[in-house]
Amino acid sequence: MDEALLRSLTPNVLGILVRRGADFASAEDAVQEALIEAVRVWPDGRPKDPKGWLVTVAWRKFLDMAKSDAARRRREDLVDEEPVPGPAPAVDDTLQLYFLCAHPSLTPSSAVALTLRAVGGLTTRQIAQAYLVPEATMAQRISRAKRTVSGVRFDQAGDVATVLRVLYLVFNEGYSGDVDLAAEAIRLTRGLAASIDHPEVAGLLALMLLHHARRAARTASNGELVPLADQDRGAWDTRLIAEGVEILQAALARDRLGEFQAQAAIAALHADAPTAAETDWVQIVEWYDELARLTGSPVVRLNRAVAVGEADGPRAGLAALAELDDSLPRYTAVAAYLHERDGDLVTAARLYGEAAGKAADLAERVHLTRQAARLNALKK
């Protein structure tokens, strides 16, 4: 069974049903039923027109559900509109589905789940496993999301920024369960980039590729985090780096800078350095200045403090850090690192320990605890 083919056809089939009058929630259920039927019967012989087959089966599934629904009488006229079997129209509704799934009325977590289900073609069980939540919980989340967007016109203009934010959240969920969400986010973003000519879409795709290129070097064999400066750069995927840089350069040439392009530029500078010592921190600080101007994000300014510490020395970094709220996530870890760079091992060890206690992620907590233990051992 060609799972990739089914995933690629899912958005188009769903879009056709919605344009023919099916509400989003019922159409999505009907498409999922058609996919299950395809998994059952296609191994015995794939149809000549897979898309047309799925449209026909999904439409019949929708009609079956409509007939058994309490609103059957309001939908009886749809029975006469069943399409004649044959090639389906070559219309790609993927882009509209991106915007529908990233509707601003949805919470970020619901928008991510709906995007993975409707555009990504993943099952509820796969999404639940990726998020490490019970399948019933994820089913409820997706059902609520579908009800929310059911009344939204399918041709309603969407917000590119919202779509990109959802895809960025999918990517940041990382690598867990049976579904690699980072790889899935790249696949979805490639699809969006093929559908819409927008420099920030290209910027997000470049950012994902450049970060994903370092995946193999991010953790040791025992699962421990490996800081960027200590990573084996020979393990980085140079093919992904080259592709990401090429996409980024084309986006920047259009002179419509956005936050994802700026983030990708920072990632590209890290990827371009043969060694950590050769990193162009001065340029990275300049890009963080641009990113701070674009976003106003205190987290960006926190990361900028690290870059300033590398470019101009740890005391300059500590001065930049002092301008920020110490309740920011990872503030204490950054302070520990800069104090260590400045030679104050006592303060750095104490701060690493405090940061470990605040870390929400287990791998990060272990890493910070080891850093504190390392410095405490040096003091003896």
Side-chain angles (χ1 to χ4, degrees), residues 98-99 102 159-172 188-189 192-193 196 198-205 208 258-261:
Y98 276 109
F99 290 127
D159 177 19
V160 174
T162 303
V163 176
L164 294 182
R165 184 62 54 192
V166 168
L167 292 173
Y168 187 58
L169 289 172
V170 175
F171 182 79
N172 283 341
L188 293 173
T189 307
L192 183 61
I196 182 171
H198 194 293
E200 272 294 81
V201 176
L204 179 58
L205 179 57
M208 289 179 176
E259 63 172 296
F260 291 119
Q261 294 170 73

Side-chain angles (χ1 to χ4, degrees), residues 8-20 24 51 55 89-100 118-119 154-155 195:
S8 67
L9 293 175
T10 296
N12 290 337
V13 176
L14 178 56
I16 289 171
L17 264 63
V18 172
R19 285 191 289 105
R20 284 179 175 165
F24 183 86
K51 180 179 174 181
V55 169
V91 177
D92 189 349
D93 295 302
T94 306
L95 183 57
Q96 291 95 324
L97 287 175
Y98 276 109
F99 290 127
L100 188 62
V119 188
F154 192 61
D155 59 352
S195 302

